[in-house]
Coordinates of all heavy atoms in Angstrom, one line a residue:
M1 N 116.8 102.1 113.3 CA 116.6 101.1 112.3 C 116.7 99.7 112.9 O 117.5 99.4 113.8 CB 117.8 101.2 111.3 CG 117.7 100.3 110.1 SD 119.0 100.5 108.9 CE 120.3 99.6 109.7
T2 N 115.7 98.9 112.5 CA 115.6 97.5 113.0 C 116.2 96.5 111.9 O 115.8 96.6 110.8 CB 114.2 97.2 113.3 OG1 113.7 98.2 114.2 CG2 114.1 95.8 114.0
V3 N 117.0 95.7 112.4 CA 117.5 94.6 111.5 C 116.9 93.2 112.1 O 116.9 93.1 113.3 CB 119.0 94.5 111.5 CG1 119.6 93.3 110.7 CG2 119.6 95.8 110.9
Y4 N 116.5 92.4 111.3 CA 115.9 91.1 111.7 C 116.8 90.0 111.3 O 117.4 90.0 110.3 CB 114.5 90.9 111.1 CG 113.5 92.0 111.6 CD1 113.3 93.1 110.8 CD2 112.8 91.8 112.8 CE1 112.4 94.1 111.2 CE2 111.9 92.7 113.2 CZ 111.7 93.9 112.5 OH 110.8 94.8 112.9
C5 N 116.8 89.0 112.2 CA 117.6 87.7 112.0 C 117.1 87.0 110.7 O 115.9 86.8 110.6 CB 117.6 86.9 113.2 SG 118.4 85.3 113.0
P6 N 118.0 86.6 109.8 CA 117.6 85.9 108.6 C 117.1 84.4 109.0 O 116.5 83.8 108.2 CB 118.8 85.9 107.7 CG 119.9 86.1 108.7 CD 119.4 86.9 109.8
N7 N 117.5 84.0 110.2 CA 117.2 82.6 110.6 C 115.9 82.5 111.3 O 115.0 81.7 110.9 CB 118.3 82.0 111.5 CG 118.0 80.6 112.0 OD1 117.9 79.7 111.1 ND2 117.9 80.5 113.3
C8 N 115.7 83.3 112.3 CA 114.5 83.2 113.2 C 113.6 84.5 113.1 O 112.5 84.5 113.8 CB 114.9 82.9 114.6 SG 115.6 84.3 115.4
Q9 N 114.0 85.5 112.4 CA 113.2 86.7 112.2 C 113.0 87.5 113.5 O 112.2 88.4 113.6 CB 111.8 86.5 111.5 CG 111.9 86.1 110.1 CD 112.4 84.6 109.9 OE1 111.9 83.7 110.6 NE2 113.4 84.5 109.1
S10 N 113.8 87.2 114.5 CA 113.8 88.1 115.7 C 114.6 89.3 115.4 O 115.4 89.4 114.5 CB 114.4 87.3 116.9 OG 113.7 86.2 117.2
K11 N 114.5 90.3 116.3 CA 115.3 91.5 116.2 C 116.7 91.2 116.4 O 117.1 90.3 117.2 CB 114.8 92.6 117.2 CG 113.5 93.3 116.8 CD 113.1 94.4 117.8 CE 111.8 95.0 117.3 NZ 111.4 96.1 118.3
A12 N 117.6 92.0 115.7 CA 119.0 91.8 115.9 C 119.6 93.1 116.3 O 119.1 94.1 116.0 CB 119.6 91.2 114.6
R13 N 120.8 93.0 116.9 CA 121.6 94.2 117.3 C 122.7 94.4 116.3 O 123.4 93.4 115.9 CB 122.1 94.1 118.7 CG 123.1 95.2 119.1 CD 123.8 95.0 120.4 NE 122.9 94.8 121.5 CZ 122.8 93.8 122.3 NH1 123.7 92.8 122.2 NH2 121.9 93.8 123.3
I14 N 122.9 95.6 115.8 CA 124.1 96.0 115.0 C 125.3 96.2 115.8 O 125.3 97.1 116.7 CB 123.8 97.2 114.1 CG1 122.5 97.1 113.2 CG2 125.0 97.6 113.3 CD1 122.0 98.3 112.6
T15 N 126.3 95.3 115.7 CA 127.5 95.4 116.6 C 128.6 96.3 116.0 O 129.3 96.9 116.7 CB 128.0 94.1 116.9 OG1 128.2 93.3 115.7 CG2 126.9 93.3 117.8
S16 N 128.6 96.3 114.6 CA 129.6 97.2 113.9 C 129.2 97.4 112.5 O 128.4 96.7 112.0 CB 131.0 96.6 114.1 OG 131.1 95.4 113.3
R17 N 129.9 98.4 111.9 CA 129.5 98.8 110.5 C 130.8 99.0 109.8 O 131.8 99.5 110.3 CB 128.8 100.1 110.6 CG 128.6 100.7 109.2 CD 128.0 102.1 109.4 NE 127.8 102.8 108.1 CZ 126.7 103.2 107.6 NH1 125.6 103.2 108.3 NH2 126.7 103.7 106.3
N18 N 130.9 98.4 108.5 CA 132.0 98.6 107.7 C 131.6 99.3 106.4 O 131.0 98.6 105.6 CB 132.7 97.2 107.4 CG 133.9 97.3 106.5 OD1 134.6 98.3 106.6 ND2 134.2 96.3 105.8
N19 N 131.9 100.6 106.3 CA 131.5 101.3 105.1 C 132.3 100.8 103.9 O 133.5 100.5 104.0 CB 131.9 102.8 105.3 CG 131.0 103.4 106.3 OD1 129.7 103.1 106.3 ND2 131.5 104.3 107.1
L20 N 131.6 100.6 102.8 CA 132.2 100.0 101.6 C 132.6 101.0 100.5 O 133.1 100.6 99.5 CB 131.3 98.9 101.0 CG 131.0 97.7 102.0 CD1 130.1 96.7 101.4 CD2 132.3 97.0 102.4
N21 N 132.2 102.3 100.7 CA 132.6 103.3 99.7 C 132.8 104.6 100.5 O 132.4 104.8 101.6 CB 131.6 103.5 98.6 CG 130.2 103.8 99.1 OD1 129.9 103.9 100.3 ND2 129.3 104.1 98.2
D22 N 133.5 105.6 99.8 CA 133.8 106.9 100.5 C 132.6 107.6 100.8 O 132.6 108.4 101.8 CB 134.7 107.7 99.6 CG 136.1 107.1 99.5 OD1 136.5 106.2 100.3 OD2 136.8 107.4 98.5
E23 N 131.5 107.5 100.1 CA 130.3 108.3 100.3 C 129.5 107.7 101.5 O 128.5 108.3 101.9 CB 129.4 108.3 99.1 CG 130.0 109.0 97.9 CD 131.1 108.2 97.1 OE1 131.1 106.9 97.3 OE2 131.9 108.8 96.4
K24 N 129.9 106.6 102.0 CA 129.2 105.9 103.1 C 127.8 105.5 102.8 O 126.9 105.5 103.7 CB 129.3 106.7 104.4 CG 130.8 107.0 104.9 CD 130.8 107.9 106.1 CE 132.3 108.2 106.4 NZ 132.3 109.1 107.6
T25 N 127.5 105.3 101.5 CA 126.1 104.9 101.1 C 125.9 103.4 101.1 O 124.8 103.0 101.0 CB 125.8 105.5 99.8 OG1 126.8 105.1 98.8 CG2 125.8 107.0 99.8
V26 N 127.0 102.7 101.1 CA 126.9 101.2 101.1 C 127.8 100.7 102.3 O 128.9 101.1 102.4 CB 127.4 100.6 99.8 CG1 127.2 99.0 99.9 CG2 126.6 101.2 98.7
A27 N 127.2 99.8 103.1 CA 127.9 99.4 104.3 C 127.5 97.9 104.6 O 126.4 97.5 104.4 CB 127.7 100.3 105.5
D28 N 128.5 97.1 105.1 CA 128.2 95.9 105.7 C 127.9 96.1 107.2 O 128.6 96.8 107.9 CB 129.4 94.9 105.6 CG 129.5 94.3 104.3 OD1 128.5 94.3 103.6 OD2 130.6 93.8 104.0
L29 N 126.7 95.6 107.7 CA 126.4 95.7 109.1 C 126.5 94.3 109.8 O 126.0 93.4 109.3 CB 124.9 96.2 109.2 CG 124.5 97.5 108.6 CD1 123.0 97.7 108.8 CD2 125.4 98.6 109.1
Y30 N 127.4 94.3 110.8 CA 127.6 93.1 111.5 C 126.6 93.0 112.6 O 126.4 94.0 113.4 CB 129.0 93.0 112.1 CG 130.0 92.8 111.0 CD1 130.4 93.9 110.2 CD2 130.6 91.6 110.8 CE1 131.3 93.7 109.1 CE2 131.5 91.4 109.7 CZ 131.9 92.4 108.9 OH 132.7 92.2 107.9
C31 N 125.8 92.0 112.7 CA 124.6 91.9 113.6 C 124.6 90.6 114.4 O 125.2 89.6 114.0 CB 123.4 91.9 112.7 SG 123.2 93.3 111.6
Q32 N 123.9 90.7 115.5 CA 123.8 89.6 116.4 C 122.3 89.4 116.8 O 121.6 90.4 117.3 CB 124.6 89.9 117.7 CG 124.6 88.8 118.7 CD 125.5 89.1 119.9 OE1 125.7 90.2 120.2 NE2 126.1 88.0 120.5
C33 N 121.8 88.3 116.6 CA 120.4 88.0 116.9 C 120.1 88.1 118.4 O 120.9 87.6 119.2 CB 120.0 86.5 116.4 SG 118.3 86.0 116.8
L34 N 119.0 88.8 118.7 CA 118.7 89.0 120.2 C 118.0 87.8 120.8 O 117.7 87.8 121.9 CB 118.0 90.3 120.4 CG 118.8 91.5 120.0 CD1 118.0 92.8 120.1 CD2 120.1 91.6 120.9
N35 N 117.6 86.9 119.9 CA 116.9 85.7 120.4 C 118.0 84.7 120.8 O 118.2 83.6 120.2 CB 116.0 85.1 119.3 CG 115.3 83.8 119.7 OD1 115.2 83.4 120.8 ND2 114.7 83.1 118.7
T36 N 118.6 85.0 122.0 CA 119.8 84.3 122.3 C 119.5 82.8 122.8 O 120.4 81.9 122.6 CB 120.6 85.0 123.5 OG1 119.6 85.3 124.5 CG2 121.2 86.3 123.0
K37 N 118.3 82.6 123.3 CA 118.0 81.2 123.8 C 117.9 80.2 122.7 O 118.4 79.1 122.7 CB 116.7 81.2 124.7 CG 117.0 81.8 126.0 CD 115.7 81.7 126.9 CE 116.0 82.3 128.3 NZ 114.7 82.4 129.1
A38 N 117.1 80.6 121.6 CA 116.8 79.6 120.6 C 117.7 79.8 119.3 O 117.7 78.9 118.5 CB 115.3 79.7 120.2
C39 N 118.4 81.0 119.2 CA 119.1 81.2 118.0 C 120.5 81.8 118.3 O 121.5 81.1 118.3 CB 118.3 82.1 117.0 SG 119.1 82.5 115.5
G40 N 120.6 83.2 118.5 CA 121.8 83.8 118.8 C 122.8 83.9 117.6 O 124.0 84.1 117.9
A41 N 122.3 83.7 116.4 CA 123.2 83.8 115.3 C 123.8 85.2 115.1 O 123.3 86.1 115.5 CB 122.4 83.5 114.0
T42 N 125.0 85.2 114.5 CA 125.7 86.4 114.1 C 125.7 86.4 112.6 O 125.9 85.3 112.0 CB 127.1 86.6 114.8 OG1 127.8 85.5 114.4 CG2 127.0 86.8 116.3
F43 N 125.5 87.6 112.0 CA 125.5 87.6 110.5 C 125.9 89.0 110.0 O 125.9 89.9 110.8 CB 124.1 87.2 110.0 CG 123.0 88.0 110.6 CD1 122.5 89.2 109.9 CD2 122.4 87.7 111.8 CE1 121.5 89.9 110.4 CE2 121.4 88.5 112.3 CZ 120.9 89.6 111.6
V44 N 126.1 89.1 108.7 CA 126.4 90.4 108.1 C 125.3 90.6 107.1 O 124.9 89.8 106.3 CB 127.8 90.3 107.3 CG1 128.1 91.7 106.7 CG2 128.9 89.9 108.3
T45 N 124.8 91.9 107.2 CA 123.7 92.3 106.2 C 124.3 93.6 105.6 O 125.1 94.2 106.1 CB 122.4 92.5 106.9 OG1 121.4 92.5 105.9 CG2 122.3 93.7 107.8
T46 N 123.7 93.9 104.4 CA 124.1 95.0 103.6 C 123.1 96.2 103.7 O 121.9 95.9 103.5 CB 124.5 94.6 102.2 OG1 125.4 93.6 102.2 CG2 125.0 95.9 101.4
L47 N 123.6 97.4 104.0 CA 122.8 98.6 103.9 C 123.2 99.4 102.7 O 124.4 99.6 102.4 CB 123.1 99.4 105.2 CG 122.4 100.8 105.3 CD1 120.9 100.6 105.5 CD2 123.0 101.6 106.4
G48 N 122.2 99.8 101.9 CA 122.6 100.6 100.7 C 121.6 101.7 100.4 O 120.4 101.5 100.5
F49 N 122.1 102.8 100.0 CA 121.3 104.0 99.6 C 120.7 103.6 98.3 O 121.3 103.0 97.4 CB 122.2 105.2 99.4 CG 121.5 106.4 98.7 CD1 120.7 107.2 99.4 CD2 121.7 106.6 97.3 CE1 120.0 108.2 98.7 CE2 121.1 107.6 96.7 CZ 120.3 108.4 97.3
K50 N 119.4 103.9 98.1 CA 118.7 103.6 96.8 C 118.5 104.9 96.0 O 119.1 105.0 94.9 CB 117.4 102.9 97.1 CG 116.8 102.2 95.9 CD 115.7 101.3 96.3 CE 115.1 100.6 95.1 NZ 113.9 99.8 95.4
H51 N 117.6 105.8 96.4 CA 117.4 107.0 95.6 C 116.7 108.0 96.6 O 116.2 107.8 97.6 CB 116.5 106.7 94.4 CG 115.2 106.2 94.8 ND1 114.1 107.0 95.2 CD2 114.7 105.0 94.7 CE1 113.1 106.3 95.4 NE2 113.3 105.0 95.1
Y52 N 116.8 109.3 96.1 CA 116.2 110.4 96.9 C 114.7 110.4 96.6 O 114.3 110.1 95.5 CB 116.8 111.8 96.4 CG 118.2 112.0 96.9 CD1 119.3 112.0 95.9 CD2 118.5 112.2 98.2 CE1 120.6 112.2 96.3 CE2 119.8 112.4 98.6 CZ 120.8 112.4 97.6 OH 122.1 112.7 98.1
I53 N 114.0 110.8 97.6 CA 112.5 111.2 97.4 C 112.4 112.7 97.1 O 111.7 113.1 96.2 CB 111.7 110.7 98.6 CG1 111.8 109.2 98.7 CG2 110.3 111.1 98.5 CD1 111.3 108.6 100.0
N54 N 113.1 113.5 97.9 CA 113.2 114.9 97.7 C 114.7 115.2 97.5 O 115.5 114.7 98.3 CB 112.7 115.7 98.9 CG 111.2 115.6 99.0 OD1 110.5 115.9 98.0 ND2 110.7 115.3 100.1
P55 N 115.1 116.1 96.6 CA 116.5 116.4 96.5 C 117.0 117.2 97.7 O 116.2 117.9 98.3 CB 116.6 117.2 95.2 CG 115.2 117.8 95.0 CD 114.3 116.8 95.6
P56 N 118.3 117.1 98.0 CA 118.8 117.9 99.1 C 118.6 119.4 98.9 O 118.6 119.8 97.7 CB 120.3 117.5 99.2 CG 120.4 116.3 98.4 CD 119.3 116.3 97.4
A57 N 118.4 120.2 99.9 CA 118.1 121.6 99.8 C 119.2 122.3 98.9 O 118.9 123.2 98.1 CB 118.0 122.3 101.1
T58 N 120.5 122.0 99.2 CA 121.5 122.6 98.4 C 121.4 122.4 96.9 O 121.7 123.2 96.1 CB 123.0 122.1 98.9 OG1 122.9 120.7 98.9 CG2 123.2 122.7 100.3
S59 N 120.9 121.2 96.5 CA 120.8 120.9 95.1 C 119.7 121.7 94.5 O 119.8 122.2 93.4 CB 120.4 119.4 94.9 OG 121.4 118.6 95.4
T60 N 118.6 121.9 95.3 CA 117.5 122.7 94.8 C 117.9 124.1 94.6 O 117.6 124.8 93.5 CB 116.3 122.6 95.8 OG1 116.0 121.3 96.0 CG2 115.1 123.4 95.2
V61 N 118.7 124.8 95.5 CA 119.1 126.1 95.4 C 120.1 126.3 94.3 O 120.0 127.2 93.5 CB 119.8 126.6 96.7 CG1 120.5 127.9 96.6 CG2 118.7 126.7 97.8
Q62 N 121.0 125.3 94.1 CA 122.0 125.3 93.0 C 121.3 125.2 91.7 O 121.7 125.9 90.7 CB 123.0 124.1 93.2 CG 124.2 124.2 92.3 CD 125.0 125.5 92.5 OE1 125.3 125.9 93.6 NE2 125.2 126.3 91.5
L63 N 120.2 124.3 91.6 CA 119.5 124.2 90.3 C 118.8 125.5 90.0 O 118.8 125.9 88.8 CB 118.4 123.1 90.6 CG 117.7 122.6 89.4 CD1 118.6 121.9 88.4 CD2 116.6 121.7 89.8
A64 N 118.2 126.2 91.0 CA 117.5 127.5 90.7 C 118.5 128.5 90.3 O 118.3 129.3 89.3 CB 116.8 127.9 91.9
A65 N 119.7 128.5 90.9 CA 120.7 129.5 90.6 C 121.2 129.3 89.1 O 121.4 130.2 88.4 CB 121.9 129.4 91.6
N66 N 121.4 128.0 88.8 CA 121.9 127.7 87.4 C 120.9 128.1 86.4 O 121.2 128.6 85.3 CB 122.1 126.2 87.3 CG 123.4 125.8 88.1 OD1 124.2 126.6 88.5 ND2 123.5 124.4 88.3
L67 N 119.6 127.9 86.7 CA 118.5 128.3 85.8 C 118.5 129.8 85.6 O 118.4 130.4 84.5 CB 117.2 127.8 86.3 CG 116.9 126.3 86.0 CD1 115.6 125.9 86.7 CD2 116.8 126.1 84.5
L68 N 118.6 130.5 86.8 CA 118.6 132.0 86.7 C 119.7 132.6 85.9 O 119.6 133.6 85.2 CB 118.6 132.6 88.2 CG 117.3 132.6 89.0 CD1 117.5 133.0 90.4 CD2 116.2 133.4 88.3
N69 N 120.9 131.9 86.0 CA 122.0 132.4 85.2 C 121.9 132.3 83.7 O 122.6 132.9 83.0 CB 123.3 131.6 85.6 CG 123.8 132.1 87.0 OD1 123.5 133.2 87.4 ND2 124.5 131.2 87.7
T70 N 120.9 131.5 83.3 CA 120.7 131.3 81.8 C 119.8 132.5 81.3 O 119.6 132.6 80.1 CB 120.0 130.0 81.5 OG1 118.7 129.9 82.0 CG2 120.9 128.8 82.0
L71 N 119.1 133.2 82.2 CA 118.2 134.3 81.8 C 119.0 135.6 81.6 O 120.0 135.8 82.2 CB 117.2 134.5 82.9 CG 116.2 133.3 83.3 CD1 115.3 133.7 84.4 CD2 115.5 132.8 82.1
T72 N 118.4 136.4 80.7 CA 118.9 137.7 80.5 C 118.5 138.7 81.7 O 117.7 138.2 82.5 CB 118.4 138.4 79.2 OG1 117.0 138.6 79.4 CG2 118.6 137.5 78.0
K73 N 119.1 139.8 81.8 CA 118.8 140.7 82.9 C 117.3 141.1 82.8 O 116.6 141.1 83.9 CB 119.6 142.0 82.8 CG 120.7 142.1 83.8 CD 121.5 143.5 83.7 CE 122.7 143.5 84.7 NZ 123.4 144.7 84.5
A74 N 116.8 141.3 81.6 CA 115.4 141.7 81.5 C 114.5 140.5 81.9 O 113.4 140.8 82.5 CB 115.2 142.1 80.0
E75 N 114.9 139.4 81.5 CA 114.1 138.2 81.9 C 114.0 138.0 83.4 O 113.0 137.7 83.9 CB 114.6 136.9 81.2 CG 114.3 136.9 79.7 CD 115.1 135.8 79.0 OE1 116.2 135.4 79.4 OE2 114.5 135.3 78.0
R76 N 115.2 138.2 84.0 CA 115.3 138.1 85.5 C 114.4 139.1 86.1 O 113.6 138.8 87.1 CB 116.7 138.2 85.9 CG 117.4 136.9 86.2 CD 118.8 137.0 86.7 NE 119.6 137.0 85.5 CZ 120.9 137.2 85.5 NH1 121.6 137.4 86.7 NH2 121.7 137.1 84.4
A77 N 114.5 140.3 85.7 CA 113.7 141.4 86.2 C 112.2 141.1 86.1 O 111.4 141.3 87.0 CB 114.0 142.7 85.6
A78 N 111.8 140.7 84.9 CA 110.4 140.3 84.7 C 109.9 139.2 85.6 O 108.8 139.2 86.1 CB 110.2 139.9 83.2
L79 N 110.8 138.2 85.7 CA 110.5 137.1 86.6 C 110.2 137.5 88.0 O 109.3 137.1 88.7 CB 111.6 136.0 86.5 CG 111.4 134.7 87.3 CD1 110.2 133.9 86.6 CD2 112.7 134.0 87.4
L80 N 111.2 138.4 88.5 CA 111.0 138.9 89.9 C 109.8 139.7 90.1 O 109.2 139.8 91.2 CB 112.3 139.7 90.3 CG 113.5 138.9 90.5 CD1 114.7 139.8 90.6 CD2 113.4 137.9 91.6
Q81 N 109.2 140.3 89.0 CA 108.0 141.1 89.1 C 106.8 140.2 88.9 O 105.7 140.7 88.9 CB 108.0 142.2 88.2 CG 109.0 143.3 88.5 CD 109.3 144.3 87.4 OE1 108.5 144.4 86.4 NE2 110.4 145.0 87.5
G82 N 107.0 138.9 88.7 CA 105.9 138.0 88.5 C 105.2 138.1 87.1 O 104.1 137.7 86.9
M83 N 106.0 138.7 86.2 CA 105.5 138.9 84.8 C 106.2 137.9 83.8 O 107.4 137.7 84.0 CB 105.7 140.4 84.3 CG 105.2 141.4 85.2 SD 103.4 141.5 85.1 CE 103.2 142.3 83.5
P84 N 105.5 137.5 82.9 CA 106.1 136.7 81.8 C 107.1 137.5 81.0 O 106.7 138.7 80.7 CB 105.0 136.1 81.0 CG 103.9 137.0 81.3 CD 104.1 137.6 82.6
P85 N 108.3 137.1 80.7 CA 109.3 137.9 80.0 C 108.8 138.2 78.5 O 108.0 137.5 78.0 CB 110.6 137.1 79.9 CG 110.1 135.7 80.3 CD 108.8 135.8 81.0
G86 N 109.2 139.3 78.0 CA 108.8 139.7 76.7 C 107.8 140.8 76.8 O 107.7 141.8 76.4
Ligands
ZN1 ZN1 117.9 84.5 115.1

């Protein structure tokens, strides 16, 4: 991951991270501008999880299992044979 300096837009180095929640989805990143001759600023930027593009595999399996549990035995058997139930 690349962080850019807010002052000179040069690349910056992450020197430390401070997680702000137990899930570690939001964190303050302490950074140092690598343009040391003309800038060299140090700053804090925030990293935050936004949303999934694909759900985690465990969620997909759990979702399928929950759906299967709502079916009757006959419906499950029909589904496994590739036939519509009924
Ligand atoms: Zn800079």
Side-chain angles (χ1 to χ4, degrees):
M1 185 177 76
T2 304
V3 175
Y4 295 95
C5 175
N7 178 61
C8 70
Q9 289 74 51
S10 295
K11 286 184 180 180
R13 174 189 298 126
I14 300 166
T15 55
S16 66
R17 171 189 177 122
N18 181 30
N19 292 318
L20 298 177
N21 61 353
D22 290 340
E23 296 79 17
K24 301 178 183 176
T25 56
V26 183
D28 278 344
L29 302 179
Y30 289 76
C31 305
Q32 183 174 30
C33 176
L34 294 177
N35 178 13
T36 52
K37 282 184 182 171
C39 180
T42 56
F43 56 94
V44 180
T45 194
T46 302
L47 174 72
F49 168 80
K50 194 167 183 185
H51 60 80
Y52 289 111
I53 297 169
N54 289 308
T58 52
S59 297
T60 307
V61 169
Q62 192 59 52
L63 187 66
N66 291 344
L67 282 172
L68 282 174
N69 284 335
T70 66
L71 300 178
T72 64
K73 255 185 184 174
E75 287 170 329
R76 261 180 268 177
L79 183 70
L80 288 172
Q81 289 167 16
M83 304 287 286

